[in-house]
Amino acid sequence: MRGTWWREAGGWALAALIAAVTTAQLASTARSELLLRDGDSLVVALLVRSVGDGEPFDWAMSTVLFIPEIVVFAVLWLVGTALSLEVNALLVLNGIVNIVALYGAIRFAAGRRRTGRAPVGWSVVALLAICLIATTETSASRDALELASLITTTTYYAGTVIAVLLSAGLVRRAFDHDSAGRRLPIWLGIVALVSVLSNPLYIGWAAVPLGAILLVAAVYPGARRRALPLLWALSAGSVLGLLARIPLSAWIANDGTGYAQPAMWPESVRYYGDLLALRLSTPLGWAGCLLLVALFVFAVLRSVRADDAGARVLAISAWVVPLVVVIGMVVLGTHAARYLQPVVFLPALALVASPRALRVPRRAALWATAAASVALVVAAGLSVPRMVPATRPSADLRCVDDWVSASGRVGAGQFWTVRLPKLHLSDASQLVQVDHQLNAYAWLTNRADFRTREVTFLIEDAQSTPWSLGVDDLPIDAIACGQYTIHDFGTRALPLGPPRS
């Protein structure tokens, strides 16, 4: 028991070190734009800050409610408030926490420790494989086919990714004749319910592909007794999750039906093909894709050579789920790389399908483990100085904060421009989100902000669409804050138009 405890603790410690190194690497590249500064990826941080500031809750969310992500960041926000940490530091910490949680899901999928098995070691290897792919992703684009690094963000479905891996692990453990097997379908139903409530994308990522695998398994008499309860639980949980969204419809500004455009499947093929070509245009992109292909091939081979039912169903999930997701997203005519995340995360489960212990001398294994641990500790220690600059607000943001705070007035900016300054502003209520015609833009923001019916300055940057204002609406001054320009209208008030999303 003591040896098992130390192995598990060691696995979590190594996962934390890998997470720190990976997040630091991403924070030191252009990918930090997505992690720390992209307007679309700040919704969770903005919402948690809004609640923390005691603002009335009237948020206009997308199809995704980000429930697990909000809970995690809220806890970090409380810790950060107590320790006086900058919000960028919390976003970096959230990235580390997400990767450690990813390890937990992989470790769960690896199954219980048994004689001749090394689930902890192989779980660390699987996490390392995903993180190696993540470190090859260095662009600032949210639309790039760089999927592994999205796990470090607070917005791009980290909770759903982890839920999919947990679901695959629950199915595996049920087929492993786990001693708690009778309760596993219940837990699968709970995971499905919470996940669909938060993000209906879980249906396409887990409920449909895993349901198809379980349906095929139910054809075989030997597997039917375990497959059918899991199938019913997965289906019931998904349906209940959809029903649970109905009371929350006031905060859901888009039900997601518009994202499915089957008639546009040829454009979808070209879109994802172009993204793949762009990914393969750099040596790092080739390295990441080759590692992913190797994992996919290994998953196929492992599903053929599996030595028990649990290993087989997990290995099959490792390549069938990504395949179904790709086909499904193309058939639906989608145009968003983030919808393909199972492609990069699920194949790694093949490494823990049959986590056999390697036959090496005990002393050699201890030395190898110690050397790897020391290397990770050193790498994590060297990563801290690389993360520190990323956690500091830029001089441009400080300039905006100083001017807006000193003005004591309320201003506005467009979606891609205003969200980052609003998050870092001393008083977030001084900035309102609008479109280029000064209509209140109710998308991923608190509609309570629109109680302010007029503004006296506008913030813009290179991402802003040219303003469409009246000929008499000219600013009296323009304040340069690096990438931002503040157009000050002085005592002249600009009325906000009606809300739209």
Side-chain angles (χ1 to χ4, degrees), residues 296 299-301 303-304 314-324 346-347:
F296 193 89
V300 174
L301 294 176
S303 64
V304 174
L314 187 64
I316 291 174
S317 301
W319 65 271
V320 168
V321 172
L323 192 61
V324 171
L346 268 293

Side-chain angles (χ1 to χ4, degrees), residues 471-485:
V471 292
D472 296 328
D473 294 329
L474 297 177
I476 63 173
D477 195 8
I479 298 90
C481 283
Q483 73 183 83
Y484 300 100
T485 299

Side-chain angles (χ1 to χ4, degrees), residues 292-311:
L292 184 58
V293 169
L295 290 173
F296 193 89
V297 171
F298 183 73
V300 174
L301 294 176
R302 177 58 67 196
S303 64
V304 174
R305 302 174 183 176
D307 49 10
D308 57 63

Side-chain angles (χ1 to χ4, degrees), residues 223-429:
R224 185 174 303 151
R225 183 170 58 87
R226 296 194 176 274
L228 286 179
L230 293 168
L231 181 59
W232 283 112
L234 187 61
S235 303
S238 299
V239 171
L240 290 174
L242 289 174
L243 294 176
R245 292 172 61 83
I246 295 175
L248 306 179
S249 58
W251 297 295
I252 301 175
N254 187 339
D255 61 11
T257 55
Y259 293 137
Q261 304 177 71
M264 295 186 66
W265 72 264
E267 290 83 353
S268 183
V269 171
R270 286 192 291 271
Y271 176 78
Y272 291 122
D274 290 344
L275 290 184
L276 179 59
L278 185 62
R279 176 77 169 132
L280 294 174
S281 64
T282 65
L284 282 177
W286 269 100
C289 288
L290 286 175
L291 179 52
L292 184 58
V293 169
L295 290 173
F296 193 89
V297 171
F298 183 73
V300 174
L301 294 176
R302 177 58 67 196
S303 64
V304 174
R305 302 174 183 176
D307 49 10
D308 57 63
R312 181 172 291 105
V313 75
L314 187 64
I316 291 174
S317 301
W319 65 271
V320 168
V321 172
L323 192 61
V324 171
V325 168
V326 171
I327 294 173
M329 293 305 159
V330 169
V331 169
L332 291 175
T334 62
H335 292 74
R338 61 185 180 274
Y339 295 158
L340 303 183
Q341 287 184 70
V343 172
V344 75
F345 291 103
L346 268 293
L349 292 182
L351 294 170
V352 297
S354 296
R356 298 189 185 93
L358 300 178
R359 295 182 178 179
V360 296
R362 181 178 178 84
R363 181 172 296 180
L366 289 174
W367 277 108
T369 302
S373 301
V374 170
L376 281 173
V377 169
V378 172
L382 294 175
S383 297
V384 173
R386 301 174 66 193
M387 284 192 285
V388 170
T391 62
R392 295 171 180 161
S394 68
D396 299 349
L397 285 174
R398 288 196 296 270
C399 174
V400 171
D401 188 359
D402 292 343
W403 189 93
V404 174
S405 298
S407 75
R409 294 181 274 131
V410 178
Q414 296 171 36
F415 181 92
W416 298 109
T417 302
V418 77
R419 296 170 71 79
L420 182 61
K422 184 177 178 68
L423 177 63
H424 288 266
L425 197 62
S426 299
D427 181 1
S429 65

